[in-house]
Amino acid sequence: MIIGVPKEIKNHEYRVGMVPASVRELINHGHSVIVETNAGMGIGFTDQNYIEVGATILSTAAEVFAQAEMIVKVKEPQAVERAMLREGQVLFTYLHLAPDLPQTQDLVKSKAICIAYETVTDASGGLPLLAPMSEVAGRMSIQAGAQALEKSNAGRGMLLGGVPGVEPAKVVVIGGGMVGNNAAQMAVGMGADVVILDRNINVLRKLDAQFGNKVKAIYSTADALEKHVLEADLVIGGVLIPGAAAPKLVTKEHIKNMKPGSAIVDVAIDQGGCIETSTATTHADPTFIIDDVVHYCVANMPGAVPRTSTFALNNATLPYIINLANKGYKQALQDDKHLLNGLNVIDGKVTVKEVAENLGFEFTAPQDAIASV
């Protein structure tokens, strides 16, 4: 198979779909890899690094899309990239379709086979290709929140951990999954007063066993959410419903009643955000203020630490890329029900129920969609 790696073009996105070591693995399996020039420069890999492991360098994304049978990316394809997709071509990347009608329309129109990292599952019910970036984003959320709380950024002017004789900031983490757990680790390490809210009692038990009395693991009700959000100096939104738009848990009314200068980091913004007042921002202009609350809503947070993020992501995606290349997409999807869960669009059909319902498309079961190709 010919695998193509284009250069990412989203605002301040420096990650790359495959590092040279991953390219070498695919070539060792008998496949060809074509890479757009300078695709890896953002994390310190030159074209020569890719050439040395056997890749072919092409001058433009158009050439990569035209020649490749499978495109491996990081972020969802932008409009200009979607226009280059063709029928029968495999796209393997993050998609986050539920809040994104234009992208979904374009992918349906392309008739490409679109497999999303974020909906691939594993035997334990986890999301193995989302987990590495959730770890990064969770840890970054505390860094971003700490900066947002600085007075120069219109925050309350607080140090997360306080100092001797001064109380630390209260950090409220909504969601105790991968994002929330990693956010809590960082916040605890910085000495903050940490509360985690979740509705899964088993998750709360695990958090209690992990952190002990260093965090307060609270069952999330409307009352508990309101109480702790209004008391918070920093709120981290880390709620995810796989394949679906994130629920709006923090309302406009909550925001109005939060402390002036408090901050919110909405890590769920890729799925539409779990804060009602959130709209996606970029690394170039990461924050905005509503009702004196600083909102950080960058939609590709791990892009700020692209080297760490790319290696972490490649470690998780490489076995799936090899499997798709070795078997072909049809056989690979039929053989692995967890990879099949990653199929979002194929031959003009939407194969994720939540996406179809959210955006008004007809839903086709993935097995049926594959059988009809």
Side-chain angles (χ1 to χ4, degrees):
M1 183 180 281
I2 302 171
I3 298 99
V5 182
K7 182 178 172 65
E8 297 292 326
I9 59 172
K10 190 164 184 172
N11 179 278
H12 283 274
E13 181 54 73
Y14 304 106
R15 290 173 289 179
V16 63
M18 284 195 287
V19 297
S22 298
V23 170
R24 182 177 179 182
E25 287 295 313
L26 278 161
I27 289 171
N28 285 346
H29 279 81
H31 305 291
S32 301
V33 181
I34 53 178
V35 180
E36 184 182 355
T37 186
N38 295 326
M41 286 297 289
I43 59 168
F45 288 118
T46 64
D47 289 350
Q48 187 60 34
N49 294 139
Y50 284 98
I51 291 168
E52 286 170 358
V53 296
T56 299
I57 302 298
L58 298 180
S59 300
T60 65
E63 292 174 275
V64 174
F65 276 83
Q67 296 182 34
E69 297 167 89
M70 175 165 64
I71 296 289
V72 177
K73 280 177 43 61
V74 178
K75 288 307 294 177
E76 71 279 1
Q78 303 302 290
V80 66
E81 296 173 308
R82 300 195 295 266
M84 292 187 281
L85 288 168
R86 65 178 186 273
E87 183 174 352
Q89 191 171 43
V90 178
L91 172 66
F92 195 33
T93 189
Y94 287 116
L95 292 177
H96 300 292
L97 293 183
D100 193 341
L101 179 59
Q103 184 192 178
T104 308
Q105 289 172 327
D106 287 349
L107 296 185
V108 166
K109 183 179 177 181
S110 75
K111 292 199 169 185
I113 299 96
C114 306
I115 305 169
Y117 294 157
E118 75 273 7
T119 58
V120 173
T121 56
D122 61 21
S124 65
L127 302 169
L129 306 189
L130 187 62
M133 297 304 94
S134 294
E135 290 170 333
V136 172
R139 294 181 182 211
M140 279 190 67
S141 69
I142 300 302
Q143 294 179 195
Q147 286 190 318
L149 282 175
E150 293 176 10
K151 194 66 178 177
S152 58
N153 295 315
R156 299 196 75 210
M158 296 186 73
L159 187 65
L160 275 190
V163 291
V166 180
E167 287 187 356
K170 177 171 180 174
V171 177
V172 175
V173 181
I174 304 173
M178 192 68 71
V179 167
N181 187 299
N182 280 272
Q185 287 182 48
M186 295 296 285
V188 166
M190 294 176 75
D193 175 17
V194 183
V195 172
I196 308 178
L197 298 165
D198 200 281
R199 300 190 74 168
N200 185 325
I201 197 69
N202 290 324
V203 168
L204 295 174
R205 287 192 179 111
K206 288 177 183 176
L207 292 167
D208 183 69
Q210 178 180 349
F211 291 105
N213 61 6
K214 293 178 180 177
V215 307
K216 303 175 187 73
I218 306 294
Y219 187 83
S220 184
T221 61
D223 188 69
L225 181 77
E226 181 176 76
K227 174 184 184 297
H228 289 288
V229 165
L230 298 191
E231 291 176 355
D233 300 299
L234 171 61
V235 174
I236 307 296
V239 175
L240 173 72
I241 300 175
K248 307 296 185 188
L249 299 178
V250 177
T251 67
K252 292 177 181 177
E253 198 62 29
H254 291 144
I255 298 294
K256 283 181 186 176
N257 292 301
M258 286 179 69
K259 301 173 187 175
S262 55
I264 280 177
V265 178
D266 195 347
V267 185
I269 194 65
D270 279 313
Q271 292 292 119
C274 61
I275 315 296
E276 191 176 10
T277 47
S278 290
T279 56
T281 61
T282 67
H283 289 293
D285 189 15
T287 62
F288 59 90
I289 298 168
I290 293 178
D291 291 326
D292 292 324
V293 175
V294 183
H295 292 57
Y296 179 101
C297 305
V298 174
N300 58 327
M301 287 178 64
V305 286
R307 191 171 176 90
T308 297
S309 298
T310 297
F311 276 98
L313 181 59
N314 268 218
N315 291 342
T317 58
L318 182 59
Y320 295 92
I321 297 168
I322 291 172
N323 201 21
L324 284 162
N326 284 352
K327 295 182 175 181
Y329 80 86
K330 203 167 188 177
Q331 194 63 51
L333 290 169
Q334 289 172 335
D335 288 351
D336 186 346
K337 64 181 181 181
H338 299 297
L339 180 59
L340 183 62
N341 287 332
L343 183 65
N344 279 218
V345 176
I346 180 172
D347 193 34
K349 302 176 181 72
V350 176
T351 56
V352 175
K353 193 172 185 180
E354 294 85 353
V355 172
E357 290 176 350
N358 205 56
L359 299 180
F361 288 89
E362 182 181 345
F363 167 68
T364 304
Q367 299 92 334
D368 295 339
I370 292 172
S372 68
V373 175

